[in-house]
Amino acid sequence: MRLLGSLLLTAALAAAALPAAPTTAAGPSLASAAPQAASRPAVIEKRVIGRSVRGRPIVAWHLGEPDAPDVETVVLISTMHGNEPHTRRILETLRDGAPVHGIDVWVVPTYNPDGLARGSRKNARGVDLNRNYPHGWTDLDGNYESGPGPASEPETRAMMAFLKDVRPERVLSFHQPLLGVDTATKRPAFARLVARKLRLPRRTLDCGGVCHGTMTGWFNHTFKGNALTVEYGASPSRKRMTKVAPDQVLSVFGAYRGPQSLEPARR
């Protein structure tokens, strides 16, 4: 019995000497974080670019191969209007799927989280974020309420700061329900390519005259890169949004998903 007691005491002392699992105020231990990272192998960085009026995070996910030579930097944005929820599935599928190759890409699946939660086009203050940008801003009311002034909304300021930091060559802004790719834009040839790759009709999306305070208008005026509006229909099928469109979007930029290799994975 004395020997057994001595062995138990030795084991207890040894266990107490072991270091505790690392924890920080910012998040879980490394051991618990590892399975979460493994569940999204395409993601190389997660960034909260800002918060909505109600404090919900606006998250950008970094995918692709940013250090590879001659790759384009691209930003893909969805759900600027909360009542246009379907296209976010394209970006979520890219985020949650296989690693992405041949591109440096950021995806923002839900740009207007308050609007999405309410099923509303506008943010929680009743502002249409796609009429709140400084370039061409004017005082609009009703369905296109533009806010008390240019860039008055936290979501707008967050996206402006993010795009200024990343400075992408291309931005695709996904919307519904007008079904078409805007060809009356800064790079008409690129717009035609997008329409062909995504199998969408070409359209002139000029708001019936001038589109005031839009994100694409502000970006195209401010940067050398090209921002383009892509509109799907009112109710695109889940299959199209999750099985077809994600690879079509990557094909616009000569990119693909799959295991690391010199050639695209067979599909």
Side-chain angles (χ1 to χ4, degrees), residues 15 53 167 174 179 218 254 258:
V53 170
R167 292 186 175 270
F174 293 94
L179 192 66
W218 169 80

Side-chain angles (χ1 to χ4, degrees), residues 49-71:
I49 66 173
R51 292 190 177 272
S52 68
V53 170
R54 299 295 186 209
R56 292 183 171 95
I58 303 168
V59 181
W61 305 84
H62 198 184
L63 321 175
E65 299 173 317
D67 297 325
D70 302 322
V71 296

Side-chain angles (χ1 to χ4, degrees), residues 104-216:
D104 173 23
V105 59
W106 291 85
V107 299
V108 184
T110 304
Y111 172 34
N112 180 6
D114 292 350
L116 178 63
R118 297 164 62 234
S120 169
R121 175 182 177 89
K122 304 170 187 178
N123 75 348
R125 279 203 284 253
V127 176
D128 181 347
L129 298 178
N130 209 28
R131 298 296 184 272
N132 189 236
Y133 281 78
H135 180 67
W137 183 90
T138 192
D139 187 6
L140 299 172
D141 299 315
N143 198 43
Y144 303 111
E145 168 62 51
S146 56
S152 62
E153 304 310 296
E155 298 92 341
T156 304
R157 295 192 297 271
M159 184 59 70
M160 289 173 66
F162 174 65
L163 292 173
K164 285 178 180 178
D165 179 52
V166 173
R167 292 186 175 270
E169 282 90 8
R170 308 283 189 186
V171 177
L172 295 184
S173 181
F174 293 94
H175 291 264
Q176 298 171 252
L178 299 182
L179 192 66
V181 175
D182 185 13
T183 52
T185 186
K186 189 175 182 178
R187 303 275 191 273
F190 176 68
R192 292 192 294 271
L193 171 66
V194 172
R196 178 167 59 83
K197 290 287 188 178
L198 302 189
R199 297 184 181 180
L200 290 170
R202 291 178 281 177
R203 297 195 60 173
T204 297
L205 302 174
D206 61 1
C207 308
V210 177
C211 291
H212 294 282
T214 65
M215 186 276 293
T216 54

Side-chain angles (χ1 to χ4, degrees), residues 3-32:
L3 176 59
L4 178 58
S6 176
L7 290 173
L8 290 173
L9 178 60
T10 301
L13 291 172
L18 291 173
T23 58
T24 68
S29 68
L30 295 177
S32 63

